[in-house]
Amino acid sequence: MENTVDNDLSEQGTLQETVAEVCSSGDPEEEAVGEDEVDKPPEEETKEAPQESEDAGENIDYENAVLSSGTHVAPTVNTSTAADAVAVDAVADDAVSVSNTSSRIPPFQVRVLYDFESQPGTGELSIKEGEILTVTRQDVGEGWWEGSNAFGQAGLFPAAYVEEVTATAPPPMPPPPLPTEYANVGDEWVENRTNLESNNWNASQDNKATSGFNVNAQRRPVSQQMSYDNDDWDDDWDDDDSEPGNNYLNGAGNFGLSAPNRAAKSSSSVGDVSTAGRDGRGTVRKSFNRFSNLAKSGVEDFLVGAGKASVDEKDKVFVEDYGNGPVWKPNSNEFTCAITSPKKESKFHGMKSFIAYTLMPSFSSTPVSRRYKHFDWIQGRLSEKFPLIPIPPLPEKQISGRFEDDLIEYRMTMLQSWVDRICRHPVISQCEVFHHFVTCPNDEKLWKTGKRRAESDKLVGANFYLAIERPDTALDVMQTEAKLEGYNRFFSNLDESVKLLQNTCMDQAKKHQTAFKREYNKISHSFSKLSRAFDTDPSNCAPGLTEAIHHMSEAYSDIGTVFEEEPKHDWDPLCHLLFEYRGLIDGFPSVISITKGAIAKRRQVEKEANEGRLDYDQVPPMVRRSDTIAYALHAEVAHFHQERTRDFKKAMTSFLTEQINFYQKITDRLRESLEKFNDV
């Protein structure tokens, strides 16, 4: 059934691409939808136009295939022994296979046999025994179906928990309701995670996926994430101008999962219970809860020592402590990268247009050309490689007027700020993939070689912790937990205040350009009408007064223009900075949550060792790994504070300077009008 659906989707994707090609060849509007389409370096874009349709069709085919088989892991049953776990797992698999072999084609109705409680942020649907559901999709994978209830709520539910309305018998051995042990490591972790997820900060985050480790990585467009596994990077895998709801993985049916993670099955399951250690005692094992942030992020593999990847000396990252807390080791080869010369270029004989920017790193004399989609690609790679480091957001996309000078200037300014922030980071600025981005010549083969090397990097995600070298001093657990709570409060308060100030900036900019300008034009018009009335005096007894009032009218008209132009000098730059910080702040809750989970896992291991249920020699490795995670978070927070101090000092100084200049312009203009009355 799944193969048939996948083949149908593949044929449908190819057909859609062919139709799009035919339509675009005769549509004069096509130029307006091709700016951010990723292709080879601009110099070589027009050489492979005949191949465009075939390769683009393959991309859409692959994307549909991945979406149709997206992995969502079914819940498992907590059993007391490894043998029992395997037995239950086998029976559950049989039940799932029976359910998934239904000959009916959605939509059709099913009856719920067992209660199931959904986990926040996973796209799951809570169901109750006896409830009637409408199945809309069976090819989700791993024993899950998608459907909706009588209230219109849609989501995922286990296929083995329901039966078709026409069925006469339940599955042979249904899974029981979720056990209380389903939490990661007991009540303490449940309480910590509940507190974090119920925090006003997280609750107010719009469209934020909570299932992954790095927010930036989760919110990649589908087209971009599919490209990670596709060597044809130069093909048309972007749909910049389509609706955002169709591009992002946070919608219904995708469950907030990032595409690179969906190809791999979660390794956390009942069958993962380790064999008994010496003297019949167990070894460190992974949690039964597949839905915890710790398991989803892959950090649990690192904690239990399952993460395996070789680390070269050049790939090592160092955390130092100079007496004021952990920090990243400063970059000894600091550099900058200038973005200049935005240029409108085209391909396919002018059918598709785009803007190319020139990048010039300070250590190189060779400029390179990059498009917006190239920036989008590198941001996705950095987000995947460094899950513990929030990657700053790129400027938002805009379709209408995207070739206008103001928009091009705005985008170039924001891209420059993005590159500057990456160059200042002591870890990201030294990674190979970023150097490839800023130095690779405009050559297709060289670009693809570097791209494939970056996508084959093993030190990504949780494996990146393997590359971290930190001080040998063990961290105090109580102090670490206190710091984590402090981080959580700080970023929550900062997020709220940044949102408020950003809204204020946008409101003031709008008022300056509309309401304030309109009011000063009214004042100007009133004085102008008075001067014209004085000018109708037949005797013309006070011409100087008439002229002075007329000059006063012009002064207020000029002041209205000053108000209209002022936001680009003060409110807009401040708003741009706040936009960047909102993206940075959004990345910290998941990192803090993961670190809390690591500490909780450490406490669990220590407790089990003290009770004799675990070999005590398993404790020191767990302590070292949990400390590595905590050290990394402390270092990243320290870098954030350093950047925050620098950025806001510069921003506020510039803002106040421009405000003084603004009011000085108004004062000077009014003083000129005042002097006119001295001659009356």
Side-chain angles (χ1 to χ4, degrees):
M1 173 69 72
E2 291 184 2
N3 291 335
T4 303
V5 174
D6 288 347
N7 291 335
D8 292 341
L9 289 174
S10 176
E11 294 174 2
Q12 181 182 0
T14 305
L15 178 59
Q16 290 175 346
E17 179 64 18
T18 304
V19 173
E21 281 276 319
V22 174
C23 294
S24 65
S25 63
D27 188 356
E29 295 295 326
E30 182 66 20
E31 178 177 347
V33 297
E35 177 212 358
D36 295 327
E37 180 182 296
V38 166
D39 56 1
K40 61 185 73 57
E43 285 76 358
E44 309 211 3
E45 285 175 337
T46 59
K47 295 182 181 179
E48 297 185 9
Q51 186 180 351
E52 186 72 10
S53 176
E54 179 182 356
D55 291 340
E58 292 176 359
N59 288 340
I60 290 180
D61 187 16
Y62 176 76
E63 182 173 317
N64 286 336
V66 172
L67 289 178
S68 66
S69 62
T71 301
H72 194 87
V73 186
T76 57
V77 182
N78 189 3
T79 59
S80 58
T81 67
D84 292 340
V86 173
V88 174
D89 215 26
V91 175
D93 286 343
D94 291 339
V96 171
S97 65
V98 170
S99 299
N100 284 337
T101 57
S102 171
S103 60
R104 302 188 62 179
I105 299 177
F108 60 90
Q109 290 187 329
V110 295
R111 179 179 292 103
V112 179
L113 300 175
Y114 314 100
D115 293 351
F116 172 74
E117 293 294 330
S118 63
Q119 296 293 323
T122 60
E124 297 164 359
L125 177 67
S126 295
I127 56 178
K128 299 294 183 182
E129 181 181 355
E131 189 177 9
I132 300 298
L133 307 177
T134 300
V135 177
T136 58
R137 186 178 172 196
Q138 295 175 277
D139 58 346
V140 179
E142 295 267 346
W144 291 84
W145 284 355
E146 184 179 3
S148 58
N149 58 21
F151 302 99
Q153 299 171 328
L156 290 179
F157 54 88
Y161 280 39
V162 300
E163 66 174 0
E164 294 182 28
V165 172
T166 56
T168 58
M173 182 177 179
L178 298 179
T180 56
E181 294 82 357
Y182 205 67
N184 194 33
V185 286
D187 294 338
E188 179 179 1
W189 165 242
V190 172
E191 181 179 353
N192 287 339
R193 192 182 71 174
T194 302
N195 290 337
L196 181 62
E197 292 179 347
S198 63
N199 190 284
N200 291 333
W201 175 23
N202 294 331
S204 65
Q205 305 277 330
D206 295 331
N207 298 323
K208 179 186 294 185
T210 60
S211 61
F213 188 18
N214 189 299
V215 173
N216 292 322
Q218 291 175 356
R219 302 190 62 172
R220 311 303 306 160
V222 168
S223 54
Q224 174 187 326
Q225 298 205 18
M226 296 305 103
S227 73
Y228 295 164
D229 300 320
N230 188 351
D231 285 338
D232 298 326
W233 180 81
D234 298 328
D235 293 335
D236 295 337
W237 50 261
D238 62 302
D239 288 313
D240 298 341
D241 302 332
S242 59
E243 292 296 325
N246 296 330
N247 284 341
Y248 286 97
L249 290 167
N250 294 343
N254 293 301
F255 327 117
L257 299 176
S258 57
N261 294 334
R262 298 185 71 164
K265 298 179 181 179
S266 172
S267 59
S268 175
S269 67
V270 174
D272 289 329
V273 179
S274 303
T275 57
R278 294 185 301 273
D279 301 326
R281 290 177 291 183
T283 58
V284 178
R285 65 187 184 184
K286 291 189 285 185
S287 169
F288 289 109
N289 185 1
R290 294 183 178 185
F291 301 99
S292 68
N293 282 344
L294 199 65
K296 291 177 183 178
S297 65
V299 173
E300 191 171 32
D301 288 332
F302 169 75
L303 285 173
V304 301
K308 303 295 181 182
S310 60
V311 182
D312 295 334
E313 189 65 29
K314 64 181 180 63
D315 295 325
K316 290 184 178 180
V317 175
F318 296 89
V319 176
E320 306 287 352
D321 191 341
Y322 302 106
N324 294 321
V327 295
W328 297 118
K329 183 178 179 180
N331 182 7
S332 58
N333 300 310
E334 294 183 354
F335 67 95
T336 59
C337 184
I339 302 179
T340 58
S341 307
K343 181 181 179 182
K344 182 179 179 181
E345 299 182 4
S346 62
K347 57 186 287 189
F348 301 145
H349 306 289
M351 291 176 59
K352 294 182 181 292
S353 300
F354 55 88
I355 301 296
Y357 303 88
T358 300
L359 274 66
M360 176 71 82
S362 58
F363 57 81
S364 173
S365 59
T366 304
V368 297
S369 180
R370 298 289 181 263
R371 292 172 53 186
Y372 182 87
K373 266 300 181 180
H374 298 142
F375 285 91
D376 211 25
W377 177 83
I378 185 61
Q379 189 202 38
R381 296 309 308 168
L382 295 177
S383 297
E384 184 178 0
K385 181 173 178 60
F386 302 107
L388 73 162
I389 301 176
I391 305 299
L394 291 170
E396 295 175 328
K397 299 185 179 192
Q398 182 172 334
I399 300 174
S400 61
R402 58 202 177 95
F403 294 136
E404 295 179 358
D405 292 342
D406 288 344
L407 177 59
I408 294 174
E409 183 68 25
Y410 160 75
R411 176 171 282 187
M412 186 175 70
T413 300
M414 295 297 288
L415 291 176
Q416 180 67 71
S417 179
W418 187 88
V419 169
D420 289 344
R421 195 172 296 281
I422 298 298
C423 289
R424 291 195 302 268
H425 199 286
V427 176
I428 306 177
S429 61
Q430 297 304 296
C431 71
E432 183 179 1
V433 64
F434 183 66
H435 278 257
H436 170 69
F437 171 74
V438 299
T439 61
C440 181
N442 304 321
D443 180 89
E444 176 185 1
K445 291 183 179 179
L446 291 177
W447 176 269
K448 283 188 175 181
T449 300
K451 170 183 175 289
R452 292 167 185 167
R453 184 167 58 249
E455 293 175 352
S456 63
D457 186 5
K458 301 301 182 183
L459 295 177
V460 299
N463 277 348
F464 178 71
Y465 286 109
L466 297 172
I468 296 177
E469 298 286 334
R470 46 83 171 180
D472 294 331
T473 305
L475 296 176
D476 182 87
V477 176
M478 298 294 291
Q479 292 182 0
T480 300
E481 290 178 329
K483 285 186 176 181
L484 293 180
E485 291 302 324
Y487 293 159
N488 199 47
R489 288 192 300 270
F490 168 75
F491 284 108
S492 176
N493 294 332
L494 183 60
D495 181 67
E496 182 179 355
S497 62
V498 165
K499 287 179 180 178
L500 177 61
L501 182 55
Q502 186 183 28
N503 291 335
T504 300
C505 289
M506 293 187 292
D507 181 60
Q508 287 296 312
K510 183 178 179 180
K511 287 180 178 179
H512 274 66
Q513 296 171 339
T514 55
F516 292 163
K517 177 178 172 60
R518 183 169 58 250
E519 290 302 314
Y520 278 95
N521 284 340
K522 285 183 179 180
I523 296 173
S524 173
H525 176 71
S526 300
F527 285 121
S528 177
K529 190 169 184 178
L530 178 63
S531 67
R532 289 198 301 270
F534 282 6
D535 197 39
T536 59
D537 178 16
S539 62
N540 194 23
C541 62
L545 178 61
T546 301
E547 179 63 26
I549 295 177
H550 178 71
H551 189 278
M552 185 177 176
S553 170
E554 292 179 341
Y556 276 97
S557 178
D558 292 343
I559 291 174
T561 302
V562 171
F563 267 91
E564 182 182 28
E565 297 177 350
E566 182 58 22
K568 66 182 180 182
H569 300 297
D570 46 28
W571 293 108
D572 286 349
L574 182 57
C575 191
H576 296 163
L577 175 66
L578 297 173
F579 168 80
E580 290 185 77
Y581 267 83
R582 283 193 65 178
L584 290 171
I585 295 169
D586 281 348
F588 277 100
S590 60
V591 183
I592 296 172
S593 175
I594 292 300
T595 309
K596 284 187 174 183
I599 298 299
K601 186 73 173 180
R602 168 183 172 174
R603 284 189 176 278
Q604 178 199 22
V605 170
E606 292 175 334
K607 178 181 178 181
E608 291 181 354
N610 291 333
E611 294 174 350
R613 295 187 290 118
L614 188 69
D615 289 334
Y616 197 79
D617 57 6
Q618 301 292 322
V619 175
M622 173 64 69
V623 172
R624 286 196 301 270
R625 297 183 189 115
S626 64
D627 279 355
T628 297
I629 296 175
Y631 265 110
L633 175 60
H634 294 330
E636 183 56 28
V637 171
H639 176 74
F640 176 86
H641 288 321
Q642 180 182 351
E643 287 284 288
R644 174 175 61 91
T645 302
R646 173 194 173 278
D647 290 338
F648 279 90
K649 177 183 177 181
K650 180 180 178 182
M652 296 307 173
T653 301
S654 175
F655 177 81
L656 288 176
T657 301
E658 293 297 335
Q659 284 277 289
I660 293 172
N661 293 337
F662 166 63
Y663 288 107
Q664 189 65 48
K665 291 177 185 177
I666 297 175
T667 302
D668 293 343
R669 196 67 180 89
L670 292 176
R671 185 173 285 110
E672 290 177 8
S673 294
L674 178 62
E675 292 174 354
K676 292 293 183 180
F677 287 90
N678 294 334
D679 300 332
V680 175

